[in-house]
Amino acid sequence: YFDQDGIFWFNAIPTGSNEQIRVDDDIWEKVLISYKKTTDFESVKNYIEVYGKTQDDGHTPYGCTYDDNDDSPFNINLNGENQNIIRIVLNGGEYDNIYSNDLAMQRAKYELYLRAKLHDSIDITVVPIYWLDVNQIIEYQMPNESEPSYWLIKSISTDFSVDGSQKISAIRYYTV
């Protein structure tokens, strides 16, 4: 991202389970003005097939994987007889850069990681919290949920006027 001085900064996006939580419910109860949660069910897929570019010898690289994690709500075996399959076939365009079955399988696993989860996002309006930054983890518990969730901050917009507020946009955080 670029800071206010036009300097480009590159920070790693958190991926582990031991990441520092920057804000929790103790702070939210003091500064929260409003929130809005959005869930994108359309992007959820649990059976991924990737086809690479067909080679001169006629071979088409192929990789296929699916969600069989017993803890996942998108496990393909949940309803028996594979009634829970939400398939996507990926080919052409950027997938034409895949020239081996190994690369196709790696990409299929990566696509499964991206797609076999709820795509929740949250917009939070608060009294400004000046120490927050993008790519930090926050904890927030929705009023209708029994446990807090972790969220990765994607953008922050702050109004610096006397009665200004701050808008935080975040996506649900899943560890790798």
Side-chain angles (χ1 to χ4, degrees):
Y1 65 93
F2 288 94
D3 68 11
Q4 67 273 10
D5 298 322
I7 298 172
F8 181 74
W9 291 91
F10 177 81
N11 296 335
I13 295 174
T15 59
S17 58
N18 295 324
E19 300 292 338
Q20 180 182 10
I21 307 302
R22 301 297 297 195
V23 178
D24 62 16
D25 284 336
D26 292 338
I27 294 174
W28 293 129
E29 67 185 36
K30 296 173 179 80
V31 299
L32 182 67
I33 297 171
S34 66
Y35 75 93
K36 179 183 177 194
K37 179 182 171 188
T38 306
T39 302
D40 174 15
F41 291 102
E42 188 66 29
S43 299
V44 174
K45 307 294 182 216
N46 64 0
Y47 192 96
I48 311 291
E49 292 182 83
V50 172
Y51 290 90
K53 184 176 184 177
T54 301
Q55 308 298 306
D56 292 337
D57 64 1
H59 172 72
T60 301
Y62 174 75
C64 177
T65 191
Y66 50 87
D67 186 348
D68 60 356
N69 179 348
D70 290 336
D71 296 328
S72 171
F74 304 109
N75 182 324
I76 65 167
N77 300 315
L78 281 179
N79 295 326
E81 300 300 319
N82 293 330
Q83 296 173 11
N84 197 33
I85 290 178
I86 310 166
R87 173 178 287 156
I88 187 169
V89 176
L90 304 167
N91 62 349
E94 65 185 278
Y95 303 99
D96 280 345
N97 295 324
I98 297 173
Y99 292 97
S100 70
N101 288 343
D102 181 53
L103 289 174
M105 182 55 96
Q106 288 178 35
R107 183 60 185 256
K109 288 179 180 179
Y110 174 69
E111 294 288 344
L112 181 66
Y113 166 75
L114 294 176
R115 298 169 188 261
K117 59 182 85 169
L118 288 178
H119 293 271
D120 293 343
S121 62
I122 187 170
D123 294 312
I124 304 170
T125 303
V126 297
V127 174
I129 305 172
Y130 297 109
W131 70 84
L132 284 181
D133 204 350
V134 296
N135 292 337
Q136 291 180 335
I137 307 297
I138 58 175
E139 181 181 80
Y140 186 75
Q141 183 170 347
M142 300 288 168
N144 59 345
E145 293 180 357
S146 61
E147 294 185 25
S149 300
Y150 298 104
W151 302 85
L152 177 67
I153 298 174
K154 297 309 289 177
S155 69
I156 298 174
S157 173
T158 306
D159 175 358
F160 291 102
S161 65
V162 174
D163 59 348
S165 62
Q166 186 175 58
K167 295 188 186 324
I168 301 166
S169 295
I171 57 173
R172 187 169 309 257
Y173 178 71
Y174 296 94
T175 59
V176 175

